[in-house]
Amino acid sequence: MKRSVRMGIDVGGTHTKAVAIDNDTHKMIGEPSVVKTTHDDVHGVAAGVVESFEACLKQNGISPDEVVFVAHSTTQATNALIEGDVAPVGVIGMSKGGIEGFLAKRQTRLDDIQLDEKKKIVIHNDYLPLKQATEPNIKKSIEKLKGEGSKVLVASMAFGVDEGGPEETVAKVAKAEGMPVTAASEITKLYGLTRRTRTAAINASILPKMLDTANSTEDAVRKAGVKVPLMIMRGDGGVMEISEMKKRPVLTMLSGPAASVMGSLIYLRASNGIYFEVGGTTSNIGVIKNGRPAIDYSIVGGHKTYISSLDVRVVGDAGGSMIRANKNGVVDVGPRSAHIAGLDYAAFIDPAKIKNPHIEFFSPMEGDPDDYVKLVNEDGTAFTITNTCAANALGLIDEKYFSHGNRDNCRKAIQVVADYLGSTVDEVATQIMEKAFAKVEAIYNDLVEKYQLEKDQTTLVGVGGGAAALVPYFSNKTGVKYSIPDDAEVISSIGVALSMVRDVVERIVPNPSKDDIRSIKNEATNKAVESGATPESVEVHVEIDQQTSKITAIATGSTEVKTADLTANADEGEALKIAAEDMRLTEDQTKLVQKDNYFYIFGGPHNGDDPAQPMRIIDKKGFIKVQRKRAMCLKVKAKDYVTALKKLWDDMAVYQAENVAHPDFYLCLGARVMDFSSTDFEQLELLTDLEVSSVEPDDEVLIVAANIDQT
């Protein structure tokens, strides 16, 4: 029987890793293929993508016609901006006359976009009143911008989000002239002319680089005999067809961290967590809330854009971060890593190579502090001590993890530092781990506050090769449980292989009607289909920001219709065990509150007279979909859901000094859990009605209301 295989390729800074996943079981087939990332190849990283892909097929005996999905993450958009490998951009601004024209001419006239002290996106500007925006005049404007050095174009019109025709005309003329072009309204439909124009300019600046790589990769995959569309990882955790990426490459910013998060979600039973993608040099830290990664607008050159990507904090504190010290003790870890210094970790060198080492202090790169530690053997060879070495020395890393190394080596190495400091191995190793923890503690606390996470309902998720070196220690310090998935070192590739197609539509609509929301949902569905999803698989989640009147519709879908049985993996007893363990209760303390054909809802003990209780929604595959400390649940027919919604709205309200905190809501509709929040009941009813109207009046609906514990 022919298999259906999903291929995922993650392009990292050092290695490109390809995995094959069985589409039916979601289990990895054979071994991953790992090659060096081909930064210096004439085809750039595309060469490594293809090399790892072909090697994975060959070594695991996979026929090209068995492949039903192939996708890769990419560092190119991020790297192009970091390294300044960008094209000069010509901006053609347009608008009607009068005061609108006066303002638009200023708002579309961009300054150069500074990427760092030495690198920038060079911007050239021109402006056309709409009355003069004829094809001959547009051609003249393009020639002017070309003459100034522009290699790519942006068309941006005031209120172009409402009427994009003139931008499309500019794009048509530019393409006829052989110039890559971005229409601002193709990137975002949000108002804010300067910000929209700037976002389009950033997208345009990386078009030449991204198009070359995309075409090379696509051609090579086709030559390998794979006929399914090539998908690219987006920075917000979804994938899109390569044809869409060629229009909007900027959406792939941070696609590497996004891949690791999506891999975590596949294996993580919990719905809320703070994830640590721990590499050798840096750690990426972000949030999973209600089963989705936290998203925010990216900042480029100090300016907020309309580029949605993971809300990721990057810190130079990872598995390979070297220690810094003086006579008073360990003063810091990182940001330089052993990889940057060209030194081996004590944890991973041959014990025979440790020969009477002595401590030396050095500066890894010009301008760095000169208090980094290396150990120099009697034969002149050297190695270093990292966070991974300290964790191994303390016996914190289970041998099943990628970070596990030679504990004796680590203790011998740290003993040299301990002798210099007049201390002990355990004291020095603990100092190292404390410095590592201190660098992420503020980030952790900031994310908990920003996303209103309940710490005791949250899991620390460790992914990446260095995860076990840091996450268990952080878990012990914070008291928050942790999880490191199997195959953590290739979790990004797995995440790419199993990701869903995703697209987002955002609109500013004051006092939206049901028709407004339905229209935006339909647009999001159509965009997801354009990006490669089958129409039958698309689901849309709608959020309304009452302060800004912004409606966000997030559409997700798969590249093939799913037919797997959703009801057969975890029985009630198994789900009870999962809920009890997650709530840190005994099974006797954990009770079934409600269930239907797709979900179990379990609760813990009540706190005194409080009618609410800790609660978990668990699907029939054993995944925790919702984790809340204080919640109530009702089961009703769909036709009666508004009455139940209002009852929970009132019963779960928390009255504070200045205002009323209303609960979040979760509706189990068939096999879906939909989450909603609003400070206005009419708007909540508007949002929920769009979803509940899709089921029959006599169908059962589970409604859970939850709020942040105020005790």
Side-chain angles (χ1 to χ4, degrees), residues 322 337-346 349 362 373-375 381-386:
M322 294 186 293
S337 67
H339 310 280
I340 297 294
L343 297 171
D344 291 326
Y345 301 19
I349 61 172
F362 75 113
V373 170
K374 66 179 174 181
L375 302 182
T381 59
F383 59 101
T384 193
I385 297 167
T386 65

Side-chain angles (χ1 to χ4, degrees), residues 526-574:
N526 291 336
K527 286 178 75 72
V529 171
E530 288 175 13
S531 291
T534 59
E536 305 92 328
S537 70
V538 176
E539 293 184 0
V540 183
H541 171 74
V542 177
E543 300 170 352
I544 298 178
D545 185 327
Q546 289 180 297
Q547 288 187 323
T548 62
S549 298
K550 184 178 76 173
I551 302 175
T552 303
I554 305 166
T556 55
S558 63
T559 55
E560 77 270 58
V561 179
K562 296 291 184 183
T563 57
D565 180 11
L566 296 173
T567 64
N569 286 357
D571 61 25
E572 187 176 317
E574 291 168 325

Side-chain angles (χ1 to χ4, degrees), residues 9 100 109 416 605:
I9 306 151
E100 179 185 311
R109 177 170 289 277
V416 177

Side-chain angles (χ1 to χ4, degrees), residues 170-179:
V170 173
K172 183 180 77 171
V173 176
K175 287 172 184 174
E177 294 288 306
M179 284 193 81

